Amino acid sequence: MKHSTNPQTRRGRGPARRIGRSLALVLPVVLVLSGTLAVAGVNWSGAPTSPVLTAADTSASGASSRTGARAPQDVLRDKLLVELQEENPGVALTHLQQAVNDRPSLAKHCASIARSLGRAAVRVHGPTKAQSYARPVCDTAYAAGVVTANR
């Protein structure tokens, strides 16, 4: 008895098997790359960058608050400069330290705000009295602001 050797019945020889193997190698790479690109393309900061307005943005209050919105560090700097003039630099420095403790995101702006307070204190109180309010807030940036205002 002779066995037939039909090429269609043997497994692993047809074009479908080769296509399947190719997809098995390429598909995971494509999925990883597309996932990486999708994650990289997301705006993780939360600030809207799209020119498309949502219903909440089109309201009158939403539009006016967007145009008048300022960075938190700028608002804090202005508030502390007013406190420095109305009370004294010590109160402003204390409130700066409290603000940085309450909102750690302000820590990277702490030194520049403290230097601004130091320069303003020299203009308001003079260099000697301004230096007397110095304390180690934000790596003594206040004292550096006093010194640079004296130059």
Side-chain angles (χ1 to χ4, degrees):
M1 177 180 264
K2 188 173 185 180
H3 296 284
S4 68
T5 55
N6 189 350
Q8 293 177 347
T9 59
R10 289 190 297 177
R11 293 185 178 209
R13 302 277 188 209
R17 180 76 170 188
R18 278 179 288 179
I19 291 172
R21 284 186 178 177
S22 297
L23 282 176
L25 292 174
V26 174
L27 192 59
V29 174
V30 170
L31 289 174
V32 168
L33 287 177
S34 64
T36 303
L37 292 175
V39 169
V42 172
N43 178 9
W44 295 103
S45 68
T49 58
S50 173
V52 178
L53 294 176
T54 62
D57 292 338
T58 57
S59 69
S61 63
S64 64
S65 67
R66 263 183 198 277
T67 57
R70 296 178 51 214
Q73 67 269 14
D74 295 335
V75 173
L76 178 63
R77 178 180 287 117
D78 292 346
K79 177 184 162 207
L80 293 174
L81 287 171
V82 168
E83 278 185 4
L84 183 136
Q85 292 176 356
E86 291 176 352
E87 296 182 34
N88 65 50
V91 172
L93 288 171
T94 300
H95 289 154
L96 172 61
Q97 187 65 51
Q98 289 171 347
V100 170
N101 290 343
D102 293 342
R103 291 185 66 188
S105 63
L106 292 171
K108 61 185 172 187
H109 305 286
C110 184
S112 68
I113 294 171
R115 277 191 297 274
S116 298
L117 291 174
R119 289 189 295 269
V122 169
R123 287 191 299 272
V124 173
H125 298 286
T128 305
K129 185 156 183 169
Q131 188 62 38
S132 70
Y133 290 106
R135 58 181 72 159
V137 175
C138 306
D139 297 329
T140 65
Y142 172 82
V146 171
V147 170
T148 58
N150 283 333
R151 291 183 189 175

